[in-house]
Amino acid sequence: MSSYPARVSVDLSAIRGNVERLREYAGPAQVMVVVKADAYGHGLIPVSRAARDAGASWLGVAQLSEALALRNAGDTGRLLAWLYAPGAPLAECISADIDLSVPAPWALGEVRAAAAEAGRPARIHLKLDTGMGRSGQFLPEWTLMLQEAVAAQTEGLVEVVGVWSHLARADEVDHDSVRAQFEVFAEGIRLAEAAGAHLEVRHLANSAATLTEPAVHYDLVRPGLASYGLSPLPGVEPSRLGLRPAMRLEAELTVVKDAPAGQGVSYGHTYTTRSDTQLAVVPLGYGDGIPRHASNVAEVQLGGHRYRIAGRVCMDQLVLDIGEAQAAAGDRVILFGPGDDGEPTAQDWAEAVGTINYEIVTRVGARVPREYLG
Ligand SMILES: *Cc1c(COP(=O)(O)O)cnc(C)c1O
């Protein structure tokens, strides 16, 4: 048992169940489980193993360091990394059989040089900007990047194995922009094939599109959020999608004490007790990734009841006003979990603080120990 009085508990059987469910949604398409940002805060290596066990033939990460960490941990399956700046250790990644995204002409130049250094061709996925307005090239520049990529393929320095893009508004079901992006993607693929690329995988769908838009599944879908059992669709519970949240955040109370009516609580006294009561201290704060915006709004569960956070969230602690509840130091508080036992969910926290469930789970700090079940 760790000395830390709080922990993230991750249910790996939930991860496996979610990935199996996503494979059903994907139909004949393969599934790339996106495990960037330490698997959305759940833990890169244990989650990746669970995802592989459940049939994820691909894993996807943003950073090269995350891809190399997976290889160092013994993962040998297909793996794509997509975010790097000039001067990155691309040769090391090519030697480790990591597929690389190529989002811009400069990147193609560096991948070519790195492949020559590594002594083997780089497997690349050319990134088309179909309307996200972020990474990749828009269609006019796409044609140029394609020509250079096919030339590098002829030299034996790269294999253009994929064409890919990302959707901006797939969480808004039936939004026109999805159709518009789909059409640009189809055109980008047509151009790539005409230029001489033999594509292994064409991929566009995130979680929302995996769940709602079979027309954009192509050969491979890239769910992140849904793999962790959270819903990308506003107003749709994970259980309705056959998904189960895998993360629970819990802590042990460090102090429970009586307090008089009229007592200000925490920095700035933004909360004042209304009657004689008890205050309980929870050893988690913004240093652990608890949003300070949760002050006086988010709820937690203690002894089967919910309590709203009293006063400001501090760096390492927050406070509850628990009235007459029977509670003592050492009692367990659930900040959020799957919601089965009436505890708040990451979605509830997101709504309380004005953000998205993605951010609530991903921001839980690295100093909070992770514990794995199932
Ligand atoms: C994060 C990310 C995903 C996964 O998105 P979800 O909405 O979590 O499913 C897929 N593709 C790319 C390029 C991403 O950056």
Side-chain angles (χ1 to χ4, degrees):
M1 192 76 188
S2 148
S3 65
Y4 212 81
R7 71 208 56 81
V8 168
S9 151
V10 178
D11 180 357
L12 294 174
S13 65
I15 302 267
R16 286 191 298 270
N18 296 331
V19 172
E20 280 161 16
R21 189 83 191 88
L22 288 162
R23 287 177 62 204
E24 291 167 18
Y25 279 102
Q30 299 182 72
V31 174
M32 172 190 291
V33 172
V34 177
V35 291
K36 65 193 181 191
D38 202 24
Y40 292 40
H42 294 66
L44 175 66
I45 303 300
V47 165
S48 296
R49 288 194 180 125
R52 292 293 198 198
D53 287 346
S57 46
W58 287 77
L59 295 176
V61 293
Q63 304 291 349
L64 305 184
S65 56
E66 299 171 314
L68 290 166
L70 276 166
R71 288 297 188 236
N72 284 335
D75 186 273
T76 55
R78 285 271 172 249
L79 174 56
L80 173 65
W82 54 76
L83 202 61
Y84 51 92
L90 298 178
E92 191 185 342
C93 294
I94 295 164
S95 300
D97 198 25
I98 295 163
D99 287 25
L100 294 168
S101 171
V102 169
W106 72 262
L108 184 60
E110 293 209 2
V111 166
R112 253 168 134 144
E117 184 190 334
R120 63 186 274 186
R123 291 172 46 91
I124 63 172
H125 300 234
L126 296 174
K127 184 85 183 267
L128 176 64
D129 192 334
T130 53
M132 170 75 177
R134 195 175 68 178
S135 211
Q137 298 296 303
F138 293 119
L139 266 184
E141 293 77 16
W142 173 250
T143 313
L144 277 173
M145 190 162 83
L146 265 179
Q147 283 162 3
E148 287 172 31
V150 170
Q153 180 161 284
T154 309
E155 292 167 348
L157 290 174
V158 306
E159 291 167 14
V160 182
V161 298
V163 164
W164 75 307
S165 188
H166 195 48
L167 296 166
R169 309 183 69 165
D171 53 327
E172 300 167 66
V173 175
D174 287 333
H175 195 273
D176 287 348
S177 73
V178 176
R179 170 103 228 143
Q181 287 198 251
F182 171 75
E183 282 167 10
V184 177
F185 194 59
E187 176 64 4
I189 288 167
R190 198 190 61 70
L191 291 167
E193 286 172 343
H198 304 287
L199 302 175
E200 221 169 84
V201 283
R202 304 159 298 170
H203 46 115
L204 179 60
N206 57 2
S207 290
T210 301
L211 298 169
T212 65
E213 298 276 359
V216 304
H217 285 176
Y218 287 95
D219 310 304
L220 177 64
V221 296
R222 302 190 309 269
L225 190 76
S227 313
Y228 307 99
L230 300 176
S231 171
L233 307 172
V236 181
E237 298 279 321
S239 58
R240 273 185 52 206
L241 301 165
L243 304 172
R244 179 172 168 76
M247 183 187 286
R248 194 171 59 193
L249 178 61
E250 57 185 37
E252 275 84 52
L253 295 180
T254 58
V255 170
V256 178
K257 67 183 182 193
D258 292 333
Q263 174 65 51
V265 175
S266 191
Y267 291 118
H269 284 174
T270 60
Y271 179 89
T272 306
T273 58
R274 274 185 295 275
S275 50
D276 289 357
T277 187
Q278 300 175 96
L279 297 178
V281 177
V282 178
L284 283 170
Y286 61 79
D288 301 293
I290 306 299
R292 191 164 173 277
H293 280 104
S295 303
N296 291 310
V297 291
E299 292 181 343
V300 307
Q301 189 194 44
L302 169 67
H305 297 278
R306 286 212 198 178
Y307 299 95
R308 182 168 297 174
I309 294 169
R312 288 206 181 127
V313 172
C314 311
M315 189 179 291
D316 315 283
Q317 314 177 42
L318 58 87
V319 183
L320 308 175
D321 176 348
I322 61 169
E324 319 239 285
Q326 288 284 332
D331 285 2
R332 204 210 303 167
V333 179
I334 314 271
L335 283 82
F336 58 82
D340 307 327
D341 297 318
E343 77 277 18
T345 60
Q347 181 63 32
D348 293 333
W349 271 69
E351 287 167 19
V353 310
T355 184
I356 51 175
N357 49 9
Y358 292 77
E359 187 183 348
I360 296 297
V361 291
T362 303
R363 64 182 292 155
V364 178
R367 81 170 179 178
V368 183
R370 267 63 177 169
E371 172 186 284
Y372 295 93
L373 312 172

